[in-house]
């Protein structure tokens, strides 16, 4: 069974840790409070039962690694970052999915959390590449990956079915060799 207690990273403002089933009540309340922020981009679980199924899929599936970004100031969950579709072998890649909760949006917590997840992905998980597919109008999400050093790789029409319709997405990616060694606390961003 995967370790659901050890943090994937801790910095000045955030602690990134795996999902736990006990997070259901807090996660669901935050997801409900964040509906306006999330729509039409994402639809996190809104009931304890849906959270349990969601968390179970992230915790038990070896092709996923899921993390909660927690605010060290108050201990609340600020958001979530999942690495989905992890492929080993010659690919060593995963696809990111993430979201901030309304109380934490725009405070830089997700940026710090993403740096921890990137370090974990390129370190203990042994991945070479992370990809983020983002709807063109989702400016906050695009800004997050830009700040983290992802490069724009293309455009995929009708890429993913969301809320009953096929949605266009921009493809962004970062590889382990694009980030330089950094001091404790965070990835430094693109090398060069």
């Amino acid at each position: 069974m995967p370790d659901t207690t050890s943090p994937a990273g801790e910095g000045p403002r955030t602690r990134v840790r795996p999902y736990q089933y006990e997070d259901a009540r807090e996660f669901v309340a935050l997801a409900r409070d964040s509906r306006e922020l999330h729509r039409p981009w994402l639809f996190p679980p809104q009931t304890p039962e849906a959270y349990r199924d969601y968390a179970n899929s992230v915790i038990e599936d070896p092709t996923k690694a899921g993390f909660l970004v927690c605010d060290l100031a108050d201990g609340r969950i600020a958001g979530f970052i999942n690495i989905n579709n992890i492929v080993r072998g010659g690919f060593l890649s995963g696809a990111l999915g993430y979201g901030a909760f309304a109380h934490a949006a725009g405070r830089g917590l997700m940026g710090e959390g993403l740096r921890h997840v990137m370090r974990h992905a390129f370190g203990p998980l042994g991945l070479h590449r992370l990809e983020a597919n983002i709807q063109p109008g989702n400016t906050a999400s695009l800004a997050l990956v830009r700040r983290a050093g992802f490069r724009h790789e293309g455009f995929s029409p009708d890429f993913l079915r969301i809320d009953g319709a096929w949605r266009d997405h921009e493809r962004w990616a970062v590889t382990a060799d694009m980030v330089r060694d950094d001091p404790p606390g965070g990835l430094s961003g693109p090398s060069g």
Side-chain angles (χ1 to χ4, degrees), residues 74-99:
D74 61 13
R76 292 174 75 192
I77 299 170
F80 54 94
I81 302 172
N82 300 328
I83 305 173
N84 301 303
N85 306 320
I86 295 173
V87 179
R88 300 287 177 186
F91 202 39
L92 292 176
S93 181
L96 288 180
Y98 50 84

Side-chain angles (χ1 to χ4, degrees), residues 11 13 16 21 23 26-27 29 31-32 40 44 48 52 54 77 81 86 123 125 136 141 147 160 163 181 188:
R13 299 178 61 211
V16 176
Y21 294 110
D23 295 314
E26 180 182 3
F27 190 100
R32 288 177 182 163
R52 179 163 283 288
Y54 176 76
I77 299 170
I81 302 172
I86 295 173
L125 288 181
S141 187
R147 283 191 305 271
L160 188 61
D163 196 26
D181 292 333
S188 300

